Amino acid sequence: MTARIIGTGSCLPEAIVTNDYLSTIMDTSDEWISSRTGIKERHLVKEETTASLSLEAGRRALAEAGVAPEELDMIIVGTLTGDYITPSTACEVQAGLGAVNAVAFDINAACAGFLFSLHTVNAYIQCGMCRTALLIGAETLSRIMDWGDRSTCVLFGDGAGAAVVQAQEGGLIAYDQGSDGEKGKYLACRNRTNNNPLVQTEKNYSYTQMDGQEVYKFAVTYVPNSIHKVLEKAGLQPEDIKYYLLHQANLRIIQAVAKRLKISLDRFPISLDHCGNVSAASVPILLDDVNRKGMLQKGDKIILSGFGGGLTWGTCLIEW
Ligand code: COA
């Protein structure tokens, strides 16, 4: 038995912020942002929270799967922007759904968070500790952006995507994941500083900082390698895959990966144009997009790949 996805859902905040709008509040332009990233607009929260977006995405995934909240025995949320340090976003979702039989916890693997969640639940399923689970990738990244730093804030957005998985034959065929903590400094956001009586540092709630070129180099080398490893484990060729659903960080990264795999860009669906980079939520939002457009047929082989802060990466091959 492995984890098979049986329903998807997503939820984006109501407010849309275009590149043109950003160019009225900072020194940037639609031309700069779209030519370097492919991003045209992103959704940003006003009233919504990481938990409220997660809950709605989760409800939609459960409705599509035809699964009742009480049937869930696990809820995992991949996020680095939970509303609380504790309780976890997954516990908030559990309460909101009334999923009384589910154990709930978050995973922080940044943009690989949904993939790490899927691989984790797969391990639980394989050892018989879980049968039906709700996985969510959700972020309110706009809370941890320095809106005075045009080199980072224009890239990210808010939103949530979800998938219901069930223990079945087939499903997750092969996976690869890894971390390179030495490179963590290239994409970082410090937690609050310690203010205990022995330290008494200045209060500091710092914002996301990124060395864009280092992260770019990481993505265009590690991601194709990870995809090749997964294909090799499954005994398949790049052309056997119907769609490659990659983390939506930057169109140029996706183009570079497609080129290295020698696969047409048509097989790489895109949501970053209207969502920006939503970290752990990018892959499940894209999966829900593709699913709801009716682009997936039973038996299709799909690759999902997430990569980013940590630095971390995770790739898997699933059968629809
Ligand atoms: N608008 C206008 N100009 C901007 C800008 C903005 N939003 N942000 C930066 N610039 C300026 C810089 O100040 C710099 O100006 P200078 O040459 O006068 O110093 C110039 O644009 C070039 O900046 P640079 O950082 O060298 O641009 P780049 O070509 O490397 O592109 C990224 C920047 C972030 C788009 C690119 O590095 C990238 O895509 N990296 C991957 C990042 C990523 O995807 N991270 C998330 C992974 S999960």
Side-chain angles (χ1 to χ4, degrees):
M1 295 280 194
T2 68
R4 183 184 281 276
I5 295 176
I6 58 166
T8 64
S10 59
C11 180
L12 297 173
E14 217 175 296
I16 295 174
V17 173
T18 63
N19 293 345
D20 284 332
Y21 173 76
L22 290 180
S23 71
T24 65
I25 57 167
M26 66 184 77
D27 183 13
T28 190
S29 64
D30 177 48
E31 200 282 319
W32 194 96
I33 302 170
S34 21
S35 64
R36 279 177 174 74
T37 69
I39 298 165
K40 293 268 175 208
E41 55 189 37
R42 71 288 291 141
H43 293 247
L44 300 186
V45 290
K46 281 163 90 178
E47 302 298 321
E48 303 95 337
T49 63
T50 301
S52 72
L53 295 169
S54 298
L55 194 54
E56 191 49 38
R59 282 198 179 113
R60 291 174 189 174
L62 287 168
E64 207 221 348
V67 166
E70 304 76 35
E71 291 176 68
L72 294 172
D73 39 37
M74 187 166 283
I75 299 173
I76 309 180
V77 179
T79 186
L80 57 91
T81 49
D83 304 315
Y84 296 87
I85 291 174
T86 188
S88 66
T89 305
C91 281
E92 289 192 90
V93 170
Q94 187 227 19
L97 290 174
V100 289
N101 299 311
V103 63
F105 58 94
D106 290 356
I107 287 183
N108 178 349
C111 309
F114 183 76
L115 271 298
F116 276 39
S117 302
L118 181 53
H119 299 165
T120 300
V121 83
N122 191 56
Y124 273 98
I125 284 173
Q126 289 190 318
C127 70
M129 287 174 68
C130 172
R131 212 190 121 60
T132 308
L134 175 62
L135 307 181
I136 298 173
E139 305 286 6
T140 50
L141 295 169
S142 59
R143 288 192 292 125
I144 59 163
M145 289 301 139
D146 175 357
W147 288 91
D149 175 10
R150 64 180 182 171
S151 69
T152 50
C153 70
V154 303
L155 306 173
F156 297 92
D158 301 332
V164 177
V165 302
Q166 207 156 52
Q168 289 186 13
E169 294 305 329
L172 197 148
I173 295 170
Y175 76 94
D176 172 63
Q177 61 184 5
S179 307
D180 185 350
E182 289 292 334
K183 294 190 169 70
K185 57 184 181 268
Y186 296 138
L187 179 48
C189 181
R190 257 194 89 84
N191 204 335
R192 61 183 59 180
T193 51
N194 198 336
N195 212 30
N196 80 29
L198 305 180
V199 188
Q200 293 287 333
T201 46
E202 212 175 298
K203 276 191 183 155
N204 172 12
Y205 303 98
S206 83
Y207 294 100
T208 305
Q209 290 181 320
M210 181 176 71
D211 182 332
Q213 285 169 10
E214 286 296 336
V215 176
Y216 183 88
K217 276 192 268 174
F218 153 76
V220 300
T221 48
Y222 282 56
V223 176
N225 286 348
S226 182
I227 292 175
H228 275 305
K229 275 189 200 163
V230 167
L231 287 168
E232 201 178 312
K233 283 183 191 172
L236 294 172
Q237 298 301 316
E239 54 275 15
D240 297 327
I241 303 304
K242 182 154 180 197
Y243 291 117
Y244 291 84
L245 305 187
L246 265 50
H247 170 50
Q248 302 284 296
N250 183 312
L251 188 58
R252 291 193 309 181
I253 293 176
I254 295 171
Q255 287 165 336
V257 173
K259 197 167 165 199
R260 287 191 191 200
L261 293 172
K262 301 192 179 64
I263 289 292
S264 157
L265 205 53
D266 302 347
R267 295 207 203 178
F268 291 74
I270 297 297
S271 61
L272 58 79
D273 55 341
H274 65 280
C275 291
N277 178 345
V278 205
S279 189
S282 281
V283 170
I285 288 172
L286 181 61
L287 178 64
D288 185 49
D289 241 28
V290 167
N291 180 26
R292 285 183 194 263
K293 284 179 183 152
M295 293 162 67
L296 301 174
Q297 311 298 324
K298 196 167 165 42
D300 283 346
K301 299 206 168 34
I302 305 158
I303 288 221
L304 310 178
S305 186
F307 49 88
L311 299 178
T312 55
W313 64 95
T315 304
C316 71
L317 169 54
I318 60 169
E319 187 181 79
W320 195 249

